[in-house]
């Protein structure tokens, strides 16, 4: 299994380089558990969903604690058949999910969000979950949407995507659960996600 | 068939509202052919891939003509089973693709990029194509990658995504061809795409 993300931070300020640098400092505690590479478009993070989503959450929270409007775009992928297996990506939650029914996975996902630590930074998220390969991909997507609606972070449905809103702790846990527990455990699943904080459109 | 995009523009300047407003003016010529709705996170555009990709290209080009670093994120979708049919989305290229082989579609895609109008704005793009539902989704993705490598806009492969570089005319035509001609013509296909211009990381 190969799991990771391409992550980009977009501070809507002329001091954007400083805000990005502050955000990237938040990744330091994760450097043993993730492989991290940055180029001019995005930062690649490879590793298991535990440290991966924690690192993405902390990166965004560090940037969102600045006063400026900031957004982040993340392309997440697990199980892409074109990528090699990597032991750093091993995830017991994903392995256990192989034997769990949709209803069991929904209940475990709700429980994980309810016990997520509070970060103290509010944010908005818009995301799409994609399930590739055989099987009934829409059944898994509808099953995920049912989970989202009871997660406590659901804000509204939009064309092609779902909006979440709340503390970054609960919101990023919701995203991790959607990524981990829906779609076949050994399948190819991706998320296209945007987070936003301090938007003048919400003030 | 239902076709559209959620589009967000991120100018890395304290004057981001002005740059976004300038970009949105570029959408005026498309208001008869597309349904356009804006909220605090993104602008929804619904319509056929002809005006849809032209509008997205012109929006980004208008913002990229300003001196500031700007990025745009676009979530594109066609054929999502959860969305209703809409006559505004009808696309003859897509209908014809039903009877075409992969090799025929690749040749038509290369030809379309070669004859794309020049816009005069250079940009970088990073994107992922997702093909949902039955069939061999990776065969269509590898077929698309082969097209990209001969498109003239290919820059490099990255984990989970492909980088394009060039004039916005050729680059957005490459994206339209990837979206239209790969994956089943009546299937569910999405693109997760980021464009970037005036990046200090490239200067």
């Amino acid at each position: 299994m190969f799991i990771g993300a391409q992550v980009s931070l977009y501070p809507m300020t002329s001091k954007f380089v400083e805000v990005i640098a502050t955000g990237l400092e938040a990744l330091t505690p994760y450097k043993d558990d993730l492989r991290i590479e940055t180029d001019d478009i995005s930062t690649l993070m490879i590793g298991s969903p535990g440290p991966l989503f924690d690192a993405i959450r902390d990166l965004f929270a560090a940037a969102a604690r600045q006063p400026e409007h900031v957004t982040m775009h993340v392309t997440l992928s697990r199980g892409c058949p074109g990528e090699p297996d990597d032991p750093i990506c091993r995830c017991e939650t994903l392995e256990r999910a192989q034997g769990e029914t949709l209803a069991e996975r929904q209940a475990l996902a709700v429980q994980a969000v309810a016990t997520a630590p509070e970060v103290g930074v509010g944010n908005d998220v818009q995301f799409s979950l994609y399930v590739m390969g055989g099987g009934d991909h829409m059944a898994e997507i509808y099953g995920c949407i049912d989970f989202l609606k009871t997660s406590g972070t659901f804000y509204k449905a939009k064309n092609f995507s779902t909006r979440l809103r709340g503390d970054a702790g609960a919101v990023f846990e919701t995203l991790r659960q959607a990524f981990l527990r829906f779609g076949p455990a050994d399948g190819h699943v991706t998320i296209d996600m945007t987070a936003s904080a301090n938007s003048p459109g919400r003030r």
Side-chain angles (χ1 to χ4, degrees), chain A:
Chain A
M1 178 71 77
F2 192 80
I3 302 176
Q6 295 282 4
V7 184
S8 304
L9 205 56
Y10 304 126
M12 254 62 77
T13 164
S14 304
K15 297 182 205 163
F16 65 93
V17 175
E18 289 165 53
V19 177
I20 292 173
T22 302
L24 290 174
E25 280 169 23
L27 298 182
T28 307
Y30 300 102
K31 288 199 169 158
D32 288 340
D33 292 325
L34 300 174
R35 190 149 53 80
I36 301 177
E37 296 163 18
T38 296
D39 72 10
D40 58 309
I41 293 265
S42 58
T43 294
L44 174 70
M45 300 185 199
I46 301 295
S48 85
L52 181 64
F53 280 80
D54 287 354
I56 292 169
R57 175 198 66 203
D58 290 357
L59 169 68
F60 187 68
R65 282 195 187 96
Q66 319 291 314
E68 290 87 4
H69 178 29
V70 61
T71 64
M72 177 176 68
H73 177 256
V74 185
T75 298
L76 285 145
S77 172
R78 66 168 169 92
C80 177
E83 308 274 4
D85 271 339
D86 193 324
I88 202 175
C89 301
R90 191 166 169 249
C91 174
E92 287 185 11
T93 305
L94 204 47
E95 287 168 9
R96 274 197 305 270
Q98 307 256 15
E100 292 162 354
T101 66
L102 181 60
E104 285 167 340
R105 289 180 278 133
Q106 287 170 324
L108 288 163
V110 169
Q111 192 182 0
V113 176
T115 55
E118 194 172 322
V119 170
V121 173
N123 69 340
D124 275 77
V125 155
Q126 177 163 307
F127 84 107
S128 308
L129 177 77
Y130 301 124
V131 178
M132 256 74 65
D136 185 353
H137 76 291
M138 289 307 290
E140 287 289 323
I141 288 172
Y142 289 132
C144 181
I145 291 171
D146 288 341
F147 148 63
L148 295 174
K149 287 186 173 165
T150 57
S151 67
T153 61
F154 181 80
Y155 170 48
K156 64 174 180 174
K158 285 178 69 169
N159 289 104
F160 319 129
S161 57
T162 299
R163 285 279 300 265
L164 308 178
R165 180 172 281 180
D167 181 81
V171 166
F172 283 93
E173 190 60 56
T174 305
L175 291 165
R176 172 163 38 211
Q177 296 301 316
F179 183 68
L180 272 179
R181 300 205 194 259
F182 300 91
D186 56 353
H188 182 192
V189 171
T190 66
I191 280 181
D192 171 350
M193 187 270 277
T194 298
S196 172
N198 311 327
S199 167
R202 276 206 60 202
R203 280 172 195 157

